[in-house]
Amino acid sequence: GSLPIVRAVVEKITLAQGCDDEEIAAIGLAIDEAMANVLKHGYEGAADQPIEISVTIEGEAPDAAVAIMIHDYGRQVDPESIRSRDLDDVRPGGLGVHIIRSVMDNVEYSRSAQGGMELKLTKRLGKVKT
């Protein structure tokens, strides 16, 4: 798959924006979880389906943010229905949405006009170093 390539690109961009290793690892984890959710829910496990990803920097330092758009052509669902499972429910799986929301500053799911779903993940960059 192309996930290692995607992560490498995001790591380079966020590193260039002054992110530390912890922030970069957290963003990478959010991307992993988002991609896993697309495969599991949007494409029902089929790994050979298209997923488009774009990474842009919004704004200027020190207020810059990285925006990651993930677009699939899978099953459309109501964005309001995408929720994390209750954390008290300790069975494996289903915590991807919780992980993504805890890592990123903004998480927006929407139905795409071209079909499938779009997910926009935004993370403010370059925390104030003390």
Side-chain angles (χ1 to χ4, degrees):
S2 58
L3 191 53
I5 298 166
V6 170
R7 283 196 65 162
V9 169
V10 171
E11 282 176 14
K12 278 196 170 48
I13 291 170
T14 49
L15 194 60
Q17 293 293 318
C19 286
D20 59 30
D21 290 346
E22 195 180 330
E23 279 182 297
I24 291 168
I27 292 167
L29 177 64
I31 292 170
D32 285 352
E33 293 294 336
M35 300 284 274
N37 284 352
V38 167
L39 288 175
K40 183 175 170 188
H41 302 294
Y43 289 133
E44 291 163 359
D48 58 347
Q49 300 300 308
I51 301 173
E52 294 170 0
I53 298 182
S54 66
V55 182
T56 52
I57 301 297
E58 298 180 342
E60 300 286 324
D63 300 314
V66 62
I68 301 152
M69 287 291 291
I70 301 173
H71 179 201
D72 67 66
Y73 294 88
R75 192 166 52 93
Q76 288 194 329
V77 297
D78 178 359
E80 293 296 310
S81 72
I82 302 172
R83 288 205 172 68
S84 169
R85 190 161 44 69
D86 190 332
L87 293 180
D88 295 335
D89 184 353
V90 292
R91 64 198 157 87
L95 292 179
V97 173
H98 172 76
I99 292 167
I100 295 164
R101 289 190 190 282
S102 67
V103 166
M104 305 305 282
D105 291 315
N106 200 24
V107 177
E108 294 170 54
Y109 292 92
S110 58
R111 289 190 180 105
S112 169
Q114 291 93 37
M117 298 294 291
E118 280 183 337
L119 170 57
K120 183 178 183 183
L121 304 173
T122 311
K123 172 96 174 140
R124 286 187 298 281
L125 298 176
K127 292 184 294 199
V128 178
K129 303 281 190 280
T130 54

